[in-house]
Amino acid sequence: MEEQVDTLVIGAGPAGLAVAACLKKRGASCMIVDRASEVGSSWRHHYDRLHLHSDRDRSTLPYLSFPAGTPRYPSREQVIDYLELYARNFELAPHFNEEVRTVRPRDPGWTVTTTAGVYHSRRVVVATGCNAVPYVPRWRGQERFRGRILHSSEYRSGESFQGHSVLVVGFGNSGGEIAVDLHEHGARVAMAVRGPVNIIPREVFGVPVLAISIVLSHLPARLADALAAPLVRLIIGDITKLGFRKLSIGPFTQIKTRAQIPLIDIETVKLVREGHIQVLGGIREMSETEITFDDGYSRVFDAIVEATGFRPGSDFFLEPQSDGPGGETKSGLHYCGFVVSPTGMLRQIGIEAQRLQTKSHAPSTTPCPGVC
């Protein structure tokens, strides 16, 4: 099967749906393909306790709000329901169970080969997101460890870990919330935090931190960090007294220069302060039951949850393309949902989708490097 389309959108998550809805609003035709069987597949595989860390009002996709009655920080299930509603509202009908194999330039446009056929399109929008492929590290002696090891993408609930000693590796937002979930289900929890970190509150005196970030994002990153620092210290406190090392740069600079979101604290710091979560360093090696850390400290653990992030995965089907000595991306290839922003991923997705809507040749956006 070969088919001609104006714009082919790869991915039926928030970014792909937003792009398709915006193009439809403009009267442009497009087609969505996705390897999964439903919209928002990555959200369907996250852990049960997950909630948005950004508030509802600043996390909507273009032209449709969350339903009335949705709490300020929607749950995983509520986000999935919203994405399904979004697809119905704009009458989007993705081609599911269709995995992209290759994306190659042609003159004019692009040729996309999937497991179901071949598409020739003027434009291609890669909207597969940063969470496509789990990043799974290896440690010395890991093959000897007798306990359970699972990535956060496999973690659903702490229910089966009740009474067990569990190490959460990584200090991103997934790691912080999984540690809380494990504690609430009766596990003995520690976190392996390899390097220095930033921690920010989810709210500042009842105001969602995203609202403040949006205002400060118009300033240079270092100035924004300097203005935000007193509020962060007042609410979070001195994290070095809790066993953390403080990152030498602030959260805005961290996002801008490293494409890394700091921990948005929901309760992790409180549990560390109360002694319910132990903060440890990076892993040096493992034995059958013990894990030894960089400072030489060892402890017995029953299980490890790797909250070590994901990689985008678009390199599986798309080789870097350039048509000039400066390495410019070939016209008609765009990305949506890869920019790490201090003002929230869903909000950023909406901004990028609307740019594609208003510009017939919107500039391409380079996807985030490394682990997201």
Side-chain angles (χ1 to χ4, degrees), residues 320-368:
Q321 305 288 341
S322 65
D323 54 3
E328 298 88 356
T329 302
K330 183 182 184 301
S331 176
L333 175 64
H334 308 280
Y335 295 87
C336 183
F338 293 89
V339 174
V340 180
S341 169
T343 63
M345 283 297 293
L346 292 176
R347 181 178 182 274
Q348 178 65 29
I349 282 170
I351 292 171
E352 294 172 24
Q354 288 175 307
R355 285 176 184 162
L356 282 166
Q357 175 191 26
T358 57
K359 297 182 180 180
S360 59
H361 295 287
S364 298
T365 303
T366 303
C368 54

Side-chain angles (χ1 to χ4, degrees), residues 22-60:
C22 286
L23 291 176
K24 193 165 187 177
K25 274 277 189 179
R26 197 188 70 185
S29 63
C30 73
M31 179 181 294
I32 309 171
V33 296
D34 195 293
R35 64 183 180 180
S37 58
E38 298 173 286
V39 300
S41 62
S42 64
W43 279 91
R44 296 176 190 275
H45 293 92
H46 287 313
Y47 50 93
D48 295 343
R49 192 188 193 279
L50 177 65
H51 285 68
L52 279 181
H53 287 74
S54 55
D55 64 288
R56 170 202 60 220
D57 295 337
R58 295 168 184 83
S59 300
T60 58

Side-chain angles (χ1 to χ4, degrees), residues 54-343:
S54 55
D55 64 288
R56 170 202 60 220
D57 295 337
R58 295 168 184 83
S59 300
T60 58
L61 300 179
Y63 308 116
L64 186 67
S65 299
F66 276 92
T70 303
R72 174 176 279 189
Y73 300 100
S75 68
R76 180 183 70 93
E77 292 84 357
Q78 289 164 333
V79 172
I80 293 169
D81 290 344
Y82 172 68
L83 295 178
E84 291 177 342
L85 173 65
Y86 195 86
R88 290 196 304 271
N89 185 77
F90 293 102
E91 298 180 340
L92 306 178
H95 288 211
F96 293 117
N97 302 305
E98 194 165 337
E99 185 170 3
V100 173
R101 298 297 195 193
T102 60
V103 177
R104 293 198 174 101
R106 67 192 296 257
D107 190 17
W110 297 84
T111 295
V112 179
T113 304
T114 75
T115 51
V118 178
Y119 300 94
H120 303 294
S121 65
R122 182 174 66 88
R123 293 197 299 177
V124 171
V125 181
V126 181
T128 49
C130 288
N131 296 334
V133 181
Y135 172 66
V136 181
R138 297 284 301 178
W139 296 281
R140 187 169 64 181
Q142 181 173 329
E143 69 282 354
R144 303 198 306 266
F145 186 69
R146 296 176 181 173
R148 184 181 178 190
I149 301 178
L150 69 160
H151 188 267
S152 61
S153 59
E154 304 169 276
Y155 179 92
R156 292 294 172 269
S157 165
E159 185 176 359
S160 63
F161 296 95
Q162 182 177 5
H164 294 177
S165 181
V166 184
L167 178 68
V168 178
V169 181
F171 199 65
N173 288 311
S174 292
E177 190 164 14
I178 286 172
V180 174
D181 186 61
L182 285 164
H183 167 73
E184 291 176 345
H185 283 91
R188 301 185 300 278
V189 187
M191 300 190 74
V193 185
R194 182 175 59 181
V197 299
N198 278 314
I199 304 174
I200 60 176
R202 186 168 68 172
E203 293 188 352
V204 177
F205 303 123
V207 178
V209 73
L210 194 59
I212 298 170
S213 295
I214 291 170
V215 174
L216 294 179
S217 66
H218 299 289
L219 303 174
R222 289 186 179 180
L223 177 57
D225 285 328
L227 293 175
L231 284 174
V232 173
R233 282 196 300 269
L234 178 64
I235 297 171
I236 299 296
D238 184 358
I239 64 173
T240 62
K241 294 181 179 179
L242 302 177
F244 299 105
R245 286 181 290 154
K246 177 73 173 67
L247 198 62
S248 60
I249 57 177
F252 283 92
T253 306
Q254 176 185 357
I255 294 169
K256 181 179 179 180
T257 61
R258 303 186 182 186
Q260 294 175 342
I261 298 292
L263 177 76
I264 302 174
D265 182 50
I266 52 172
E267 197 179 352
T268 311
V269 171
K270 174 178 178 288
L271 293 177
V272 171
R273 187 174 287 117
E274 293 174 350
H276 299 299
I277 297 176
Q278 183 181 10
V279 178
L280 302 170
I283 295 174
R284 179 191 296 176
E285 62 179 335
M286 300 180 182
S287 66
E288 288 82 359
T289 59
E290 281 192 338
I291 297 177
T292 302
F293 297 87
D294 288 338
D295 60 0
Y297 174 79
S298 295
R299 179 176 158 182
V300 173
F301 287 96
D302 302 307
I304 300 170
V305 178
E306 300 168 326
T308 47
F310 297 80
R311 294 191 183 280
S314 57
D315 54 336
F316 289 140
F317 57 79
L318 177 64
E319 295 180 358
Q321 305 288 341
S322 65
D323 54 3
E328 298 88 356
T329 302
K330 183 182 184 301
S331 176
L333 175 64
H334 308 280
Y335 295 87
C336 183
F338 293 89
V339 174
V340 180
S341 169
T343 63

